[in-house]
Amino acid sequence: MPGDKPGAPTAGVIAPPPLVFLAGVVLGLGADYLFALPALPRAAGAGPLWLGLAFGGSGLFLILWAARCFSRAGTAIPPYKPATTLVTEGPYRRSRNPIYLGMALIYLGVVCATSSLSVLVLFPLVLLVMEFGVIRREERYLARVFGEAYENYRREVRRWI
């Protein structure tokens, strides 16, 4: 990817992260429909819709909180735009990727709400694409842009949680 080269103005991620997660959902639901695949067994006592809303709501809250921190810092959220500030406040004190964590929670909320085995089976693949096609590229980019400040932050804060 062009942006993944030293000195590039952006991280050079392979795709916008929301599209990576959306692709897993669409492919999984499409497979369910096309191949009439079985659904996940429904949990006794706790409806999957309720659980899906809980995961999804938590994920959305985390994304909005992290986005607010980016906005206050005056830097762009999309990884295909140049970073101007290293954000380390709010949820970034505990996770280097709270927006991606929020997207993962929403994804799991979709799994619960739809009881889709196919969407669940694709989740590890989505996470691998995020890891190698987005997160590691971003980390190399941020290390180039912010140097020792980013390396210190990286040593102190976990990637996910």
Side-chain angles (χ1 to χ4, degrees), residues 71-114:
S71 179
R72 283 185 170 177
T75 194
I77 294 172
Y80 47 86
K81 292 187 176 181
T84 57
T85 304
L86 181 61
V87 179
T88 60
E89 297 301 318
Y92 289 92
R93 286 178 280 158
R94 300 275 184 240
S95 170
R96 295 196 312 260
N97 297 293
I99 292 177
Y100 303 155
L101 180 58
M103 289 179 191
L105 288 170
I106 291 170
Y107 188 102
L108 292 174
V110 171
V111 168
C112 293
T114 63

Side-chain angles (χ1 to χ4, degrees), residues 46-73:
L49 181 59
W50 177 84
L51 192 56
L53 290 173
F55 274 116
S58 298
L60 182 60
F61 172 79
L62 192 54
I63 290 168
L64 294 174
W65 184 18
R68 185 171 181 216
C69 293
F70 265 68
S71 179
R72 283 185 170 177

Side-chain angles (χ1 to χ4, degrees), residues 12-34:
V13 299
I14 63 167
L19 291 182
V20 174
F21 284 97
L22 183 60
V25 169
V26 169
L27 288 172
L29 293 177
D32 287 345
Y33 178 76
L34 290 173

